[in-house]
Amino acid sequence: MLLKPHSRPIVSYYFPKGVGAHHYGERHPMKPARLTLTNELVFGYGLHNQIHNIYDVRPATREELEVYHDSDYLDFLSRVTPANQSEMRNLIDKFNCGEDCPIFADMYDFSRMYAGGSLAGARKLCAGTTDIAINWSGGLHHAKRGEPSGFCYVNDIVLAILELLRYHPRVLYIDIDIHHGDGVELAFYQSDRVMTVSFHKYTGDFFPGTGKLDDNGYGTGKNFALNVPLLDGIDDDMYLAIFKTIIEDTVASFRPSAIVLQCGADSLGSDRLGAFNLSIAAHGECVNFVRAFNVPLLVLGGGGYTLRNVCRCWTYETSVLVGVSIPNELPRTVYDSFFADSQWKLHPPLSGRVENQNTPASLQRITISIRNKLRYLQGAPSVAMQEIPPDIQGFLKDEERSQEELEEEISTATAGEQRADTSIARNEFFEGDKDIDHDSPPTPPPPPRARGSAKRGRGRGGRGRARGRGRVSSTSVVDDDDDDDDDEPPAPPRKPTRGRGRGRAGKTRGAASESKRSPDLQTEADSDTPNGKL
């Protein structure tokens, strides 16, 4: 199913209310507050006026999570809390919780929130009522069927792809996080209906330690798992060259009817846990390249541990997806002091801080190997005619569905809480009920605006930065004080084990700390200098 080449894609934006207020622990690098910052910039730039639908969706239900995850694992997630973790120590060890995946308050609710956003986006794509669905809170690609991994508790990507497979015969999953998308690859390692393509750092001991060039699927899924292992310091030109070549060949061979794009921002330069040299513009160009295929697209977040760069990146990519240009000057927000280090710029310099260990010859070898695997496909796999399996919603016997969700089953959906009148027409041929090309007399134009009157979202501040209007209220406050992280010694290298972390320095000591912070508390921000990671 392709979009009309002349039409403006319908974009839906998912932001579960309160998802950015959760907290993994005092010194844990994963900070959901980055989602609050992203949302603030999106509204500050006025991008909500270009997004067709904005949703605060319900959390995923237990029945929806059980479509992939084990029941006993979900029992554990729903029961364990910081208060009772000492009593559940055996289960905590069994399910591999610890330094990377600490026990924090409302952990299960947080997982249901971000999974609910990805599932809602997938349902919208299946219903045909949106062309691009964005959920920056999703993209947690490491979680396995029966255990958490790499800061991820529930694999929302697998759940969303399973939902897409109800309608779409072939789904392409693309991962540009610096870490290998091992959880998603493992889930579909023997399937030819899902092709996974992961661009990541691979050294053998970098988390999660998987994603070799020769790992390419098994059985029916042979050659349907593609891995692009890269070394430290890859720059914009090299990354874009290999990304565009491989994705273009993959789309031509696999012919997906839907694409899921994981946009982990830890592949940016200067990330606390990353080691690449990508700029925000290059990261966004990958998103733009995938968008240009005009295939129904689900865009998700992922990693990213230098907060001020993560929110800039996802804001810029939101503008790319809605097809508008935004200025390099950041809009005024309540977090102005947080971006003072870069003079309030959207595109700060991030490149060149790590030596580039990749060579044209090594990238050519990877490209040739992947092209050879694509030749084995011999055309896109077909899907036999069969009855569509029941919707996940059909299993929710104990939950009353809303009228909007019921309508979604017959492809007339607007499920979720829709924001009215958010889209501004840009020379469109048809604009819904407000279109003026009909038989009734046109409405007379309003009286002319007085000269010099203010226009929405066009004010200029003392520093010359746009004052975006209509900003949403924040649920947590983030500051820029994380210098004490830099004083910690780097963690010694460890051999790959089941409980191996992402190579962070220092242990998580805030596992039992509170999850949701009140607005008068400050969330620990990140340091510009990676802490012993590069």
Side-chain angles (χ1 to χ4, degrees):
M1 179 175 66
L2 297 178
L3 312 183
K4 297 292 190 300
H6 65 274
S7 66
R8 175 187 172 194
I10 299 174
V11 180
S12 296
Y13 183 88
Y14 296 86
F15 187 79
K17 185 178 181 180
V19 70
H22 290 78
H23 196 243
Y24 275 59
E26 182 181 358
R27 302 187 66 81
H28 199 287
M30 172 63 95
K31 293 177 169 53
R34 63 198 181 141
L35 303 170
T36 301
L37 284 169
T38 300
N39 207 47
E40 194 76 12
L41 290 180
V42 166
F43 275 72
Y45 271 118
L47 292 174
H48 60 291
N49 292 320
Q50 305 297 337
I51 296 172
H52 292 76
N53 305 301
I54 297 178
Y55 298 105
D56 169 23
V57 294
R58 63 167 175 80
T61 65
R62 171 66 179 261
E63 289 79 3
E64 288 172 330
L65 298 180
E66 284 183 342
V67 171
Y68 177 62
H69 289 287
D70 292 339
S71 179
D72 59 343
Y73 172 56
L74 295 176
D75 285 338
F76 165 75
L77 287 182
S78 63
R79 290 171 48 209
V80 68
T81 66
N84 67 14
Q85 61 178 333
S86 59
E87 305 169 9
M88 302 181 67
R89 177 55 55 188
N90 291 338
L91 288 177
I92 289 175
D93 293 340
K94 172 185 176 181
F95 290 111
N96 198 30
C97 289
E99 182 181 356
D100 273 5
C101 299
I103 305 301
F104 60 91
D106 298 324
M107 177 179 66
Y108 183 58
D109 291 339
F110 171 69
S111 302
R112 292 174 59 224
M113 280 184 178
Y114 69 74
S118 298
L119 280 169
R123 288 194 294 266
K124 275 291 178 296
L125 293 171
C126 290
T129 53
T130 197
D131 302 313
I132 299 173
I134 305 171
N135 176 29
W136 295 125
S137 67
L140 277 70
H141 56 173
H142 293 306
K144 308 303 190 296
R145 180 187 295 272
E147 67 176 32
S149 177
F151 314 162
C152 309
Y153 297 87
V154 166
N155 200 315
D156 63 292
I157 305 174
V158 173
L159 294 171
I161 291 176
L162 289 173
E163 179 69 14
L164 289 171
L165 289 174
R166 295 188 59 258
Y167 180 81
H168 294 279
R170 292 177 300 278
V171 176
L172 173 62
Y173 171 69
I174 304 171
D175 191 316
I176 59 175
D177 194 292
I178 196 172
H179 299 94
H180 178 229
D182 59 330
V184 183
E185 179 183 274
L186 178 63
F188 301 105
Y189 205 60
Q190 300 186 54
S191 172
D192 62 352
R193 292 187 61 195
V194 178
M195 175 166 278
T196 61
V197 186
S198 178
F199 297 80
H200 53 269
K201 173 181 173 177
Y202 178 80
T203 60
D205 56 359
F206 184 73
F207 184 88
T210 56
K212 296 187 297 184
L213 182 62
D214 295 334
D215 294 340
N216 58 356
Y218 180 78
T220 305
K222 184 73 171 177
N223 298 315
F224 287 89
L226 303 180
N227 287 298
V228 185
L230 304 169
L231 299 177
D232 287 355
I234 190 167
D235 57 25
D236 289 354
D237 293 338
M238 280 188 170
Y239 194 95
L240 288 175
I242 193 170
F243 178 86
K244 291 183 176 181
T245 299
I246 289 176
I247 294 302
E248 186 170 28
D249 290 348
T250 301
V251 170
S253 299
F254 186 63
R255 299 207 303 272
S257 55
I259 297 176
V260 177
L261 175 60
Q262 196 266 17
C263 301
D266 49 5
S267 50
L268 293 173
S270 303
D271 188 82
R272 291 178 64 190
L273 302 187
F276 285 174
N277 282 324
L278 295 187
S279 66
I280 290 175
H283 203 273
E285 177 57 26
C286 294
V287 176
N288 186 51
F289 186 77
V290 174
R291 178 194 63 83
F293 286 110
N294 290 328
V295 174
L297 177 62
L298 176 62
V299 180
L300 305 172
Y305 309 102
T306 300
L307 270 71
R308 62 182 67 85
N309 294 336
V310 176
C311 60
R312 286 179 175 116
C313 180
W314 291 345
T315 299
Y316 173 68
E317 289 170 352
T318 301
S319 73
V320 169
L321 292 166
V322 299
V324 299
S325 297
I326 54 179
N328 193 31
E329 298 287 338
L330 291 177
R332 283 189 179 275
T333 69
V334 295
Y335 302 116
D336 272 3
S337 61
F338 197 71
F339 303 101
D341 65 307
S342 62
Q343 297 300 308
W344 303 277
K345 300 297 184 183
L346 179 64
H347 296 278
L350 303 177
S351 304
R353 302 195 181 187
V354 182
E355 181 183 357
N356 189 353
Q357 300 179 15
N358 301 270
T359 65
S362 67
L363 299 185
Q364 184 179 26
R365 179 177 62 85
I366 294 171
T367 302
I368 291 174
S369 174
I370 289 180
R371 281 178 166 172
N372 288 335
K373 295 172 186 177
L374 290 173
R375 291 192 181 100
Y376 285 109
L377 298 187
Q378 298 179 348
S382 59
V383 179
M385 295 290 289
Q386 58 185 0
E387 181 180 357
I388 296 178
D391 191 349
I392 289 177
Q393 300 293 324
F395 295 106
L396 308 184
K397 297 179 181 179
D398 297 330
E399 172 144 332
E400 183 178 352
R401 286 175 284 173
S402 68
Q403 183 62 33
E404 291 173 337
E405 289 177 318
L406 292 173
E407 290 176 354
E408 189 167 59
E409 297 178 353
I410 56 174
S411 299
T412 60
T414 54
E417 296 177 6
Q418 182 173 349
R419 184 181 182 88
D421 299 332
T422 61
S423 178
I424 296 178
R426 297 205 301 272
N427 297 326
E428 292 179 305
F429 291 105
F430 180 74
E431 188 63 21
D433 296 334
K434 297 184 179 182
D435 186 57
I436 62 172
D437 297 330
H438 47 63
D439 297 333
S440 59
T443 303
R449 183 191 298 267
R451 183 179 179 84
S453 60
K455 292 185 179 181
R456 181 180 180 89
R458 295 290 297 276
R460 309 295 292 179
R463 289 188 292 270
R465 298 180 292 110
R467 294 177 181 267
R469 298 182 61 184
R471 296 190 295 271
V472 296
S473 61
S474 62
T475 55
S476 63
V477 177
V478 183
D479 66 18
D480 197 18
D481 183 14
D482 197 27
D483 295 336
D484 49 2
D485 275 3
D486 294 337
D487 296 330
E488 296 179 18
R494 292 181 291 178
K495 295 182 180 180
T497 62
R498 181 170 177 266
R500 181 179 61 255
R502 292 193 177 195
R504 297 188 285 108
K507 293 184 178 180
T508 300
R509 301 192 182 277
S513 64
E514 61 182 355
S515 167
K516 297 186 179 180
R517 294 193 163 195
S518 58
D520 58 329
L521 296 180
Q522 293 184 333
T523 303
E524 177 190 14
D526 52 282
S527 164
D528 279 333
T529 304
N531 188 7
K533 303 300 179 291
L534 304 184

